[in-house]
Amino acid sequence: MKEYKIHAFTSTGAIDYREKLNPQQLKAVEGSVGPSLVLAGAGSGKTRVLIYRLAYLLEKGVRPQNVLLVTFTNKAAKEMIHRSELLLKSTLSGLWAGTFHHIGNIILRREGHFLGYSANFTIVDREDSKGLIEDCVEDLGFTKSEKLFPKKDIIANISSLCVNSQREVDEVIACSYSHIEEYTLPIKKVLARYAQKKKEANVMDFDDLLHNWLKVLEIEEVREKYSRIFEYILVDEYQDTNRLQFEILQKISSFHKNILVVGDDAQSIYSFRAAEINNVLDFPKIFEGAKIFKLETNYRSSPQILAMANEIITHNINQFPKKLVSIKKDNCMPTVVKTKDVYQQAKFVSQRILELVKEGVPLKEIAVLFRSHFQALELEIELLKRNIPYLMRGGVRFFEQAHIKDTMSYLKIMVNPQDELAFKRALCLHKGIGRSFAHKIWEKIVKENQKLQAIAQELPKRQAEGFKEFLAIMESLRQVASPQEAIKKILQNYKDYCYLSFDNADERIMDLEELAKMAIEYPTIKRFILELGSYEDFKGETRLSPNEKGDILVLSTIHQAKGLEWEAVLIIGFSDYEFPHARSLANSKDLEEERRLFYVAVTRCKNTLYITYPETKYTFKNGAIITRPSMFLHELSCDVYEELNVIEDWSDII
């Protein structure tokens, strides 16, 4: 049979870089030889720099096989490759491109034998990883303890944080999980068993793809091999790298030393995921002879938005100073809005959104951002009342969250004792009782008509204790009529479960306190459950017509909004002890990250920005209190924003 060979098509014409790039971008693309740090301000075209730098190298004759492009999503890598191929009018086969995990996987297939793994090792996903941890807990007999043991999700998160921050289990638990410090030794035993099981089964989890990649790079011949292969290394979103990824980059760039990292220290907001801002701040110290390039021309926001953003970030001491400059025309000033309370805040935001839509701003070009999920509760309810479709980005709606549904299940039983789903859900929250056991108990009640106390006497000791605890809670709930008091009683018992089950227990408890605060408006548990039931079934998308699909308001935490942009942004809950978060006030490093979070929120906006705060709020512990606007507002000069005081006018309905 004859053969026909297809050759790689190469470009015949050079790219006009001076025409396509601004002077700052051009300088970074052409001059970043050796270690180079590109500080890319918000909306300054960092992706463009990476794409054109890649094209520039290939045009200069660098082989794709000698270039490594590291991104934080495989989608981003594919998009950059596609855009580079369009620029060059040629294919880039052989280029090393993808996430850290993707590249680690490729290298470990070739070099894993140094660590005792065969090339056909399998990768377990997050859920399978948790299942294996659960097996280890059972193997070691910790499920037989009289006390609840930390859930598999918590242990998995501790393991991941240890790997990515390169810290010991003791330190991670003491710093981030101090409420379960008594379990440190058993958790260490579980994780040791987990590592053993993975090795025996020839499997790796996602964290192992980085951890083991670094381990093989500690072998001199492997490090020498790959540091020679990777003549040029390009890294996107460098401010989001952790200590482990930094050490990998150090080793694979050790021969040629041509490493270009692109990021923005002012947008480093993921320390809770082990991202390390010092990877950016210390780059010039660690990589000898490093060049620094700044991208300060902003293509996204109006001059008024950038004036506020620039002033916000000047109050951080640990940073590379930058001043973003807009290419857009003047627009309206950012507006700081004072409302009477969170309910008026929700009404203002909802009404202003409808007005913006009438003014011609598409609903999908509007976003409401907040520091913590619980701050959006009143707004969600107001949006539902006004039939404004919305999408909760990166999470579920308030009433669909596990901890909210757990709490509501007790109240549902009070209103409807025949509610099987609520009964089994609540019962499973108690020690020794899983789904199958809860089902057996329900069968005894319904089919065998057994009395609850009689069932408790028949159960094994551990399950009996859990069941009696459940019965005690239900009995205490019968003594109260107020839904707020009922939620407070549930929360007294649920807190321990929360801390042992969820990574962000404090945030979830705050959600439940917000639910209790909301419940004060309802005279009875029945009224509370019946009214909220209509909200739980609503999905914003279902009210969209086929022609409107996709035109939907975005609600998001600021962390989830990073990298996105909208025509109009409304930041809610801009109050002291909420933004910045109360936990950050005692630590200057944490406070600086909170300020960066504010900076990120503001720079998501193209033209119209509202920042709202309530004058008063009802708290779980202290009742109604007067609140102050965020300390970050007091740091700003009055000429970067205007103020608006909201009043309510009922004359149109009289």
Side-chain angles (χ1 to χ4, degrees):
M1 184 182 291
K2 293 182 179 180
E3 291 183 345
Y4 181 86
K5 186 178 290 185
I6 295 178
H7 301 282
F9 176 74
T10 54
S11 173
T12 54
I15 298 166
D16 188 344
Y17 293 94
R18 291 185 180 276
E19 180 189 350
K20 301 294 184 182
L21 303 169
N22 69 36
Q24 292 176 335
Q25 292 170 337
L26 180 66
K27 193 174 178 182
V29 166
E30 293 184 340
S32 51
V33 179
S36 301
L37 171 62
V38 177
L39 296 165
S44 63
K46 71 173 179 62
T47 303
R48 193 173 187 82
V49 166
L50 280 170
I51 291 165
Y52 276 85
R53 177 60 181 167
L54 176 59
Y56 182 83
L57 291 173
L58 298 175
E59 271 203 335
K60 293 296 180 186
V62 178
R63 298 166 66 221
Q65 296 91 324
N66 296 123
V67 179
L68 170 63
L69 171 64
V70 186
T71 62
F72 268 76
T73 65
N74 285 315
K75 181 182 176 184
K78 288 175 184 176
E79 183 185 339
M80 288 187 199
I81 292 169
H82 176 66
R83 287 171 63 180
S84 298
E85 287 179 337
L86 290 176
L87 274 177
L88 293 164
K89 298 181 175 63
S90 65
T91 57
L92 299 183
S93 57
L95 181 78
W96 292 73
T99 64
F100 279 95
H101 295 86
H102 174 71
I103 304 299
N105 182 30
I106 294 171
I107 290 174
L108 287 169
R109 297 288 172 191
R110 303 178 181 188
E111 317 297 345
H113 60 90
F114 283 103
L115 305 179
Y117 287 91
S118 65
N120 66 339
F121 68 82
T122 49
I123 301 169
V124 293
D125 63 21
R126 188 73 169 164
E127 285 308 308
D128 287 341
S129 170
K130 290 176 188 175
L132 192 55
I133 286 172
E134 195 169 34
D135 291 343
C136 295
V137 173
E138 191 144 338
D139 288 349
L140 294 167
F142 295 134
T143 54
K144 296 172 184 175
S145 167
E146 294 301 311
K147 296 197 300 183
L148 281 172
F149 194 75
K151 300 288 184 184
K152 58 186 178 182
D153 300 67
I154 295 284
I155 300 173
N157 288 332
I158 290 170
S159 173
S160 185
L161 193 52
C162 288
V163 171
N164 289 292
S165 64
Q166 297 287 274
R167 292 185 292 163
E168 294 298 325
V169 175
D170 309 66
E171 185 185 350
V172 165
I173 292 178
C175 293
S176 304
Y177 297 88
S178 56
H179 49 275
I180 58 169
E181 213 164 349
E182 63 180 293
Y183 296 97
T184 299
L185 187 56
I187 288 172
K188 289 173 76 171
K189 289 180 179 178
V190 169
L191 292 179
R193 178 74 178 126
Y194 174 57
Q196 181 188 356
K197 271 183 173 285
K198 286 187 294 181
K199 194 70 178 286
E200 290 170 351
N202 195 39
V203 303
M204 296 189 199
D205 62 25
F206 287 122
D207 294 322
D208 290 327
L209 295 177
L210 302 188
H211 176 69
N212 288 333
W213 182 10
L214 180 60
K215 283 179 74 174
V216 295
L217 288 175
E218 287 167 353
I219 301 166
E220 189 174 348
E221 64 178 280
V222 178
R223 181 174 64 255
E224 180 82 3
K225 175 183 175 179
Y226 288 96
S227 65
R228 284 179 177 272
I229 288 174
F230 299 137
E231 189 177 346
Y232 289 91
I233 299 168
L234 311 175
V235 185
D236 191 19
E237 301 286 8
Y238 184 65
Q239 78 282 341
D240 294 336
T241 55
N242 57 45
R243 188 70 196 175
L244 176 56
Q245 291 162 334
F246 166 77
E247 291 185 10
I248 289 169
L249 291 172
Q250 248 193 319
K251 286 182 166 51
I252 60 174
S253 64
S254 58
F255 186 80
H256 295 289
K257 303 187 187 304
N258 289 316
I259 178 169
L260 168 70
V261 300
V262 181
D264 183 7
D265 55 300
Q267 296 187 69
S268 179
I269 58 173
Y270 295 127
S271 64
F272 65 94
R273 294 182 191 163
E276 179 53 73
I277 190 174
N278 287 327
N279 290 353
V280 179
L281 298 179
D282 294 342
F283 189 89
K285 301 174 192 172
I286 293 164
F287 291 90
E288 191 177 342
K291 299 176 183 176
I292 298 177
F293 302 88
K294 293 182 181 181
L295 306 182
E296 297 173 302
T297 303
N298 178 283
Y299 294 89
R300 176 188 299 154
S301 305
S302 69
Q304 287 73 18
I305 300 295
L306 294 187
M308 174 177 274
N310 285 331
E311 195 166 320
I312 289 167
I313 207 64
T314 57
H315 294 276
N316 272 7
I317 296 170
N318 298 299
Q319 63 160 320
F320 289 105
K322 294 182 294 297
K323 186 173 182 180
L324 295 178
V325 179
S326 177
I327 63 161
K328 299 176 77 172
K329 294 179 181 178
D330 283 343
N331 207 296
C332 55
M333 294 271 282
T335 305
V336 175
V337 183
K338 177 173 67 176
T339 64
K340 181 177 69 176
D341 52 29
V342 290
Y343 301 103
Q344 192 180 70
Q345 176 179 254
K347 289 173 185 174
F348 166 77
V349 169
S350 301
Q351 182 173 306
R352 192 68 195 102
I353 286 167
L354 292 174
E355 290 169 348
L356 287 167
V357 171
K358 284 183 181 178
E359 292 165 16
V361 181
L363 196 56
K364 65 182 178 183
E365 275 294 320
I366 305 172
V368 181
L369 307 182
F370 33 86
R371 173 63 183 82
S372 302
H373 200 161
F374 76 87
Q375 293 174 304
L377 171 57
E378 292 82 12
L379 177 61
E380 282 197 69
I381 291 174
E382 191 66 29
L383 293 172
L384 299 177
K385 289 177 182 176
R386 295 178 186 240
N387 196 20
I388 300 174
Y390 69 92
L391 172 70
M392 182 65 75
R393 192 175 187 280
V396 295
R397 296 162 186 268
F398 188 86
F399 292 105
E400 294 166 0
Q401 297 176 97
H403 54 295
I404 301 298
K405 295 181 83 169
D406 287 346
T407 302
M408 297 290 281
S409 65
Y410 289 103
L411 302 183
K412 286 180 178 180
I413 298 167
M414 296 297 297
V415 174
N416 176 19
Q418 280 76 46
D419 188 333
E420 178 182 354
L421 292 177
F423 183 90
K424 290 195 288 193
R425 185 180 190 107
L427 193 52
C428 285
L429 301 174
H430 298 274
K431 59 189 175 189
I433 301 177
R435 292 184 65 183
S436 61
F437 215 98
H439 182 72
K440 288 177 184 176
I441 292 174
W442 178 257
E443 292 285 294
K444 286 178 180 291
I445 295 168
V446 175
K447 292 187 176 178
E448 299 176 25
N449 202 26
Q450 284 190 249
K451 300 293 182 185
L452 298 179
Q453 293 300 335
I455 293 172
Q457 299 303 318
E458 295 176 1
L459 298 176
K461 184 181 177 184
R462 193 159 183 270
Q463 283 77 11
E465 285 186 8
F467 189 53
K468 286 175 182 176
E469 185 183 80
F470 165 74
L471 294 179
I473 291 173
M474 296 311 300
E475 181 58 35
S476 71
L477 294 180
R478 291 189 188 95
Q479 310 304 316
V480 298
S482 157
Q484 185 186 53
E485 287 304 313
I487 293 169
K488 286 182 178 180
K489 283 185 176 292
I490 294 166
L491 191 50
Q492 287 172 4
N493 293 277
Y494 189 74
K495 274 186 180 179
D496 286 342
Y497 177 87
C498 216
Y499 279 121
L500 294 170
S501 304
F502 301 118
D503 192 45
N504 57 342
D506 287 332
E507 294 290 332
R508 291 178 187 256
I509 289 168
M510 289 172 75
D511 283 347
L512 293 171
E513 291 175 351
E514 192 73 9
L515 183 68
K517 182 198 79 175
M518 177 189 170
I520 197 172
E521 293 188 15
Y522 299 87
T524 65
I525 294 173
K526 183 176 181 180
R527 178 82 174 273
F528 183 63
I529 289 295
L530 293 180
E531 186 149 339
L532 295 190
S534 60
Y535 298 145
E536 289 187 53
D537 294 334
F538 174 73
K539 301 278 190 258
E541 297 85 346
T542 61
R543 295 196 180 184
L544 293 172
S545 70
N547 295 331
E548 296 174 310
K549 193 164 181 63
D551 194 19
I552 185 168
L553 174 72
V554 171
L555 269 58
S556 176
T557 63
I558 301 167
H559 285 102
Q560 289 287 343
K562 183 174 167 290
L564 303 176
E565 59 184 47
W566 294 273
E567 182 69 24
V569 170
L570 299 98
I571 303 169
I572 64 172
F574 197 58
S575 303
D576 252 357
Y577 297 100
E578 289 188 3
F579 196 172
H581 197 287
R583 283 198 306 267
S584 69
L585 299 176
N587 186 306
S588 61
K589 186 177 179 181
D590 292 342
L591 190 60
E592 289 204 348
E593 180 160 333
E594 291 287 305
R595 195 176 284 112
R596 293 194 295 271
L597 197 61
F598 181 29
Y599 173 87
V600 166
V602 168
T603 54
R604 299 312 92 206
C605 179
K606 297 177 185 177
N607 284 307
T608 305
L609 175 65
Y610 290 92
I611 302 171
T612 71
Y613 69 92
E615 274 190 296
T616 62
K617 67 176 182 178
Y618 186 89
T619 63
F620 181 75
K621 293 174 183 173
N622 302 312
I625 61 169
I626 296 173
T627 61
R628 295 179 302 178
S630 169
M631 61 177 286
F632 294 153
L633 183 62
H634 298 299
E635 294 176 348
L636 301 178
S637 57
C638 295
D639 58 357
V640 297
Y641 64 89
E642 58 186 17
E643 294 184 271
L644 185 67
N645 189 29
V646 175
I647 58 171
E648 294 193 26
D649 180 11
W650 303 103
S651 60
D652 57 339
I653 60 171
I654 294 175

